[in-house]
């Protein structure tokens, strides 16, 4: 797992993908307030990630915390938990969220996401597939298509996943490789995609941005009428068809 190249040095992609999820994929556990499983792939061009996005996030952290070791977790920010308890003050929270939203809006990235409604999945299928695997298939296929559209054939693009546990990571890696080898909707192998696992404590700007997207994506599907500033940003980030279509290109809602 995560082994460096053994022979000749491979050609690496101009892009890197950071992955996050929201909700759980256990079909025996369906919560009415969020009965979804969301998987989000955030695709960054490396040059822009290194020179623009990472510095912007670091400057933001230095400005608000005095250092850049804070991890931006959507849940802790939303619930105003440590180290974000200062957000309990409305005016401070407004300024913080305005600045963070501006960074997310300005970040040059392409978003590919799948939203699995576990209630509908259980009603429609007697023996439904694992929601994680369903979402993974779609995200991998569309991410691979994006890479081919951007002249990345034969170049290794790393998909960065946060570690969840040894057993869970083994199962995920096995499914990732099965999908990769089985191929996309045209039965073309997706050899360009490679999986990597990152420790939960890693201060990765890409993973933190992906974390900020995952739950709002689900909420935009679950409660589309509800105002959500992040949703307006999300809509502009999805991969689109030449005609501007999002569904099936950058977003999959299933079933």
């Amino acid at each position: 797992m995560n082994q460096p190249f053994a022979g000749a040095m491979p050609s690496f992609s101009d892009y890197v993908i950071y992955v996050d999820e929201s909700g759980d994929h256990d079909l025996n556990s369906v919560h009415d307030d969020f009965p979804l499983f969301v998987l989000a792939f955030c695709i960054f061009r490396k040059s822009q990630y290194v020179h623009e996005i990472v510095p912007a996030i670091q400057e933001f952290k230095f400005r608000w915390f005095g250092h850049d070791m804070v991890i931006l977790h959507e849940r802790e920010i939303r619930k105003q938990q440590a180290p974000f308890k200062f957000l309990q003050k409305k005016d401070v929270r407004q300024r913080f969220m305005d600045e963070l939203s501006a960074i997310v809006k300005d970040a040059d990235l392409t978003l590919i996401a799948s939203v699995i409604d576990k209630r509908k999945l259980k009603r429609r299928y007697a023996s439904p597939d694992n929601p994680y695997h369903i979402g993974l298939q779609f995200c991998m296929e569309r991410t691979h298509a994006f890479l081919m559209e951007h002249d990345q054939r034969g170049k290794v693009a790393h998909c960065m996943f946060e570690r969840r546990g040894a057993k869970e990571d083994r199962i995920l890696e096995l499914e990732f490789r099965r999908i990769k080898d089985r191929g996309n909707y045209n039965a073309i192998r997706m050899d360009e995609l490679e999986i990597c696992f990152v420790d939960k404590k890693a201060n990765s700007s890409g993973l933190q941005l992906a974390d900020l997207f995952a739950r709002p994506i689900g909420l935009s599907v679950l409660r589309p009428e509800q105002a959500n500033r992040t949703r307006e940003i999300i809509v502009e980030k999805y991969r689109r068809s030449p005609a501007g279509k999002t569904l099936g290109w950058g977003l999959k809602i299933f079933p």
Side-chain angles (χ1 to χ4, degrees), residues 157-210:
H158 293 92
C159 299
M160 316 299 292
F161 290 77
E162 189 175 78
R163 289 191 182 279
R164 297 178 298 160
K167 179 181 178 181
E168 292 86 352
D169 293 348
R170 283 195 300 271
I171 293 172
L172 173 56
E173 180 172 11
L174 179 60
E175 186 62 22
F176 184 98
R177 298 197 182 284
R178 282 176 177 166
I179 294 171
K180 171 180 171 177
D181 293 342
R182 185 168 62 236
N184 62 13
Y185 37 81
N186 292 319
I188 297 174
R189 286 172 56 93
M190 297 182 282
D191 291 327
E192 287 78 8
L193 298 180
E194 186 56 72
I195 189 169
C196 283
F197 291 98
V198 183
D199 190 275
K200 287 180 179 293
K201 296 179 181 179
N203 196 345
S204 165
S205 297
L207 284 178
Q208 289 168 70
L209 279 176

Side-chain angles (χ1 to χ4, degrees), residues 15 43-46 48-49 52-53 103-110 209 237:
Y15 296 87
I43 308 172
F44 299 88
R45 179 176 282 276
K46 291 176 181 175
Q48 291 163 328
Y49 179 76
E52 299 174 17
I53 295 171
I103 291 173
V104 175
K105 184 176 181 179
D106 292 342
D108 190 355
L109 64 91
T110 298
L209 279 176
K237 303 295 184 182

Side-chain angles (χ1 to χ4, degrees), residues 27-154:
L27 288 173
N28 295 315
S29 173
V30 181
H31 303 285
D32 290 336
D33 61 329
F34 198 82
L36 311 176
F37 175 73
V38 181
L39 193 63
F41 276 42
C42 293
I43 308 172
F44 299 88
R45 179 176 282 276
K46 291 176 181 175
S47 57
Q48 291 163 328
Y49 179 76
V50 169
H51 297 295
E52 299 174 17
I53 295 171
V54 173
I57 292 176
Q58 287 180 310
E59 288 174 4
F60 174 80
K61 290 180 179 181
F62 280 125
R63 188 161 59 251
W64 281 94
F65 302 96
H67 61 85
D68 63 347
M69 291 296 103
V70 171
I71 306 295
L72 299 174
H73 280 147
E74 186 273 341
R75 185 179 187 277
E76 293 168 0
I77 294 173
R78 173 167 44 89
K79 291 184 175 292
Q80 299 159 19
Q81 297 175 342
F84 304 100
K85 286 187 175 181
F86 64 88
L87 297 180
Q88 293 171 2
K89 295 182 178 180
K90 185 176 180 180
D91 60 330
V92 175
R93 181 169 67 252
Q94 185 67 45
R95 286 191 289 113
F96 180 91
M97 295 307 300
D98 284 347
E99 289 187 25
L100 183 57
S101 294
I103 291 173
V104 175
K105 184 176 181 179
D106 292 342
D108 190 355
L109 64 91
T110 298
L111 180 62
I112 292 174
S114 58
V115 179
I116 311 300
D117 189 319
K118 297 193 294 182
R119 299 167 304 182
K120 294 180 180 178
L121 190 67
K122 291 178 70 175
R123 287 198 296 264
R124 180 172 296 189
Y125 300 97
S127 300
D129 289 339
N130 185 323
Y132 203 121
H133 297 171
I134 296 171
L136 186 63
Q137 174 92 33
F138 173 84
C139 289
M140 287 177 65
E141 287 177 346
R142 270 54 181 189
T143 297
H144 186 261
F146 171 92
L147 294 172
M148 296 304 98
E149 292 162 359
H150 289 78
D151 301 319
Q152 300 299 298
R153 187 176 303 279

